[in-house]
Amino acid sequence: MKLLVTNIAFLAGIQPTDKLRLEGKEMARLETIANAFLYVEDGRIHSYGAMSDLAKCSLPSDVQQIDAKGGSVLPSWCDSHTHIVFAGSREQEFVDKIRGLSYAEIAKRGGGILNSADKLHDMSEDELYQQAMRRVDEVIRKGTGCIEIKSGYGLNTADELKMLRVIKRIKETTPLKVVATFLGAHAVSREYAGRQSEYVDLVIREMIPAVAKENLAEYIDVFCDTGFFTPEETARILEAGTKYGMRGKIHADELASSGGVEVGVRHNALSVDHLESMTAETIETLRGSETMPTALPGTSFFLNMPFALGRKVIDEGLPLAVASDYNPGSTPSGDMKFVISLACIKMRLLPAEAINAGTMNSAYAMGLSKDYGSITKGKVANFYITKPIPSVDFIPYAYTTPIIDRIFLRGEEYIPQTV
């Protein structure tokens, strides 16, 4: 299929082909072309430029032409941390939080992750898939084109595999680019209460080989934090996953500065995520590594927690990604536009920095930035056309205003539908 988009007010998010991530001052640069066109061929970006140069381009006669009508074009959001395969909501815990209970207190009372695990155990793969696909449609409508989905609400081998099979089915039936992460070490199951070391052995000796046998996950994750898994246990799990080709992506420093970032860097984790309790010393640990620090500002907003030190991370010359953490307990939202607004308002990122964090760098945090996350020749044509807006800065500024007019994934228009 050949597609030409014309009369684009601003074509934004342009990056050279050799860039995989942006660091420090680079993050404040969001290259744009005013009054532009974009040409797509076979699902990938072929060329782009100013409308004044379009006449010089030799385009085939069978090209489909779309008039942006003065809207702008940006690369689709890349959401590198979600848990969108889950069974039902947890609004009662929302009420508990309003009444003053902490995340840790709710977990100790049998809520939180264990609550979701109980619900998921009783739900079939088909039911899980139908629920998840409604959320997939929701996030695509909001501009997301790439997403990472974690397991972690199974907490036994059969239910973790059930979740990962659902994620595989989503990969096969949606134009969204999906990567899967095995998170068996999200919490200790009720069956293993008081026997955490035995549960870690179960993850290593039974779950990881079973996941690998069916080739169900590209990555492995561990909730390395106070009250969950220790750095030593995390290291064991990451090492076991690496043997089966699953690279690490760690839940780190959400509830405390727990050593999760340090163990992630030592084991070459692709990303360390959350970072609400990150310290200046932790930031220094990341210097020179391939690990992407990933903030989840929606979690801080919903749980009324501190926000990650995103401004300091960038000022120290490091990269930063942002993601939604869409899940039923701590962040029941996959709205990346709102995440970008929070990054600006609460973490003091400039609009360009926040947009780059939610596109290029979040794609890197999924190992996808070679093909996604920017307007670059040869990359997959995942983008959206906005309604006419005064500038790119308007996107995080107007934090609840719907801006998307049309969505294109793999170079084809996405027609919203509810499964």
Side-chain angles (χ1 to χ4, degrees):
M1 180 179 176
K2 304 172 183 68
L3 175 71
L4 175 65
V5 184
T6 60
N7 298 316
I8 301 167
F10 297 98
L11 178 64
I14 299 166
Q15 294 291 344
T17 55
D18 60 347
K19 269 291 176 188
L20 294 180
R21 69 180 194 177
L22 301 171
E23 304 178 355
K25 293 180 180 179
E26 293 178 322
M27 292 191 64
R29 294 196 291 269
L30 189 72
E31 185 176 343
T32 64
I33 299 175
N35 192 21
F37 74 89
L38 175 68
Y39 176 57
V40 173
E41 198 169 280
D42 298 327
R44 290 185 178 263
I45 297 168
H46 181 277
S47 56
Y48 49 80
M51 283 295 293
S52 58
D53 294 328
L54 181 58
K56 303 173 188 176
C57 299
S58 178
L59 299 179
S61 58
D62 59 342
V63 65
Q64 177 188 357
Q65 188 163 329
I66 298 290
D67 189 343
K69 299 178 180 178
S72 294
V73 168
L74 285 92
S76 297
W77 304 121
C78 299
D79 192 350
S80 63
H81 186 125
T82 82
H83 306 255
I84 66 171
V85 175
F86 59 83
S89 56
R90 282 163 36 193
E91 63 272 13
Q92 181 53 52
E93 294 176 17
F94 173 65
V95 177
D96 289 340
K97 293 184 187 85
I98 293 170
R99 288 174 171 157
L101 271 68
S102 70
Y103 183 83
E105 287 169 333
I106 290 169
K108 286 180 181 178
R109 292 174 52 174
I113 296 165
L114 297 183
N115 187 356
S116 285
D118 293 341
K119 291 180 177 180
L120 186 134
H121 179 74
D122 296 327
M123 187 170 283
S124 70
E125 281 188 28
D126 281 343
E127 289 173 310
L128 274 176
Y129 172 76
Q130 294 297 330
Q131 277 201 20
M133 284 299 287
R134 287 193 286 272
R135 299 178 198 115
V136 166
D137 180 62
E138 171 199 344
V139 299
I140 293 175
R141 289 174 189 242
K142 292 179 180 293
T144 293
C146 303
I147 197 166
E148 183 245 25
I149 309 175
K150 302 178 189 291
S151 69
Y153 294 131
L155 307 184
N156 62 59
T157 303
D159 288 341
E160 287 292 313
L161 292 175
K162 176 165 66 175
M163 289 190 73
L164 289 165
R165 290 178 188 131
V166 169
I167 298 169
K168 181 179 180 181
R169 190 170 167 188
I170 293 169
K171 286 186 185 183
E172 295 169 347
T173 55
T174 175
L176 196 68
K177 176 63 179 178
V178 177
V179 298
T181 296
F182 167 59
L183 181 56
H186 200 190
V188 176
S189 68
R190 296 189 194 280
E191 181 184 356
Y192 282 82
R195 297 184 291 142
Q196 182 157 314
S197 62
E198 292 179 42
Y199 183 77
V200 171
D201 288 341
L202 177 73
V203 171
I204 292 171
R205 296 173 184 172
E206 183 175 306
M207 291 189 191
I208 290 174
V211 171
K213 183 177 180 181
E214 295 189 37
N215 194 28
L216 292 174
E218 291 94 330
Y219 300 104
I220 187 166
D221 197 346
V222 182
F223 193 169
C224 181
D225 218 322
T226 299
F228 290 87
F229 296 91
T230 67
E232 294 74 22
E233 291 166 336
T234 300
R236 286 186 60 208
I237 293 168
L238 292 183
E239 288 165 3
T242 299
K243 291 177 182 177
Y244 285 91
M246 289 179 269
R247 188 175 177 183
K249 284 172 61 70
I250 301 180
H251 281 60
D253 290 13
E254 177 182 1
L255 306 176
S257 183
S258 58
V261 172
E262 291 82 352
V263 72
V265 170
R266 283 200 306 272
H267 289 82
N268 195 33
L270 182 57
S271 70
V272 285
D273 304 12
H274 273 288
L275 311 179
E276 291 88 349
S277 297
M278 168 185 268
T279 65
E281 291 74 21
T282 306
I283 293 172
E284 192 59 33
T285 301
L286 288 157
R287 192 176 302 280
S289 76
E290 296 181 357
T291 302
M292 177 64 70
T294 301
L296 309 177
T299 306
S300 299
F301 170 79
F302 192 75
L303 296 182
N304 198 26
M305 294 172 64
F307 286 77
L309 302 176
R311 177 73 269 149
K312 185 168 179 58
V313 169
I314 295 172
D315 288 346
E316 288 294 325
L318 300 177
L320 181 75
V322 295
S324 76
D325 194 22
Y326 194 175
N327 75 79
S330 63
T331 328
S333 170
D335 189 337
M336 282 293 289
K337 178 178 178 292
F338 183 55
V339 169
I340 299 307
S341 294
L342 286 174
C344 294
I345 297 163
K346 305 299 285 188
M347 293 165 55
R348 313 309 295 172
L349 270 62
L350 297 171
E353 292 171 330
I355 291 169
N356 282 327
T359 52
M360 186 76 166
N361 280 3
S362 197
Y364 176 93
M366 293 182 274
L368 296 177
S369 59
K370 182 179 178 181
D371 287 310
Y372 297 89
S374 66
I375 302 297
T376 301
K377 291 178 183 179
K379 284 194 177 184
V380 176
N382 280 12
F383 62 91
Y384 58 85
I385 304 174
T386 73
K387 301 170 185 177
I389 56 176
S391 71
V392 174
D393 294 350
F394 181 85
I395 295 171
Y397 159 78
Y399 66 95
T400 63
T401 300
I403 60 161
I404 294 177
D405 186 39
R406 304 174 78 166
I407 297 159
F408 293 82
L409 298 176
R410 304 178 190 174
E412 296 190 8
E413 187 164 12
Y414 178 77
I415 307 300
Q417 56 187 335
T418 301
V419 178

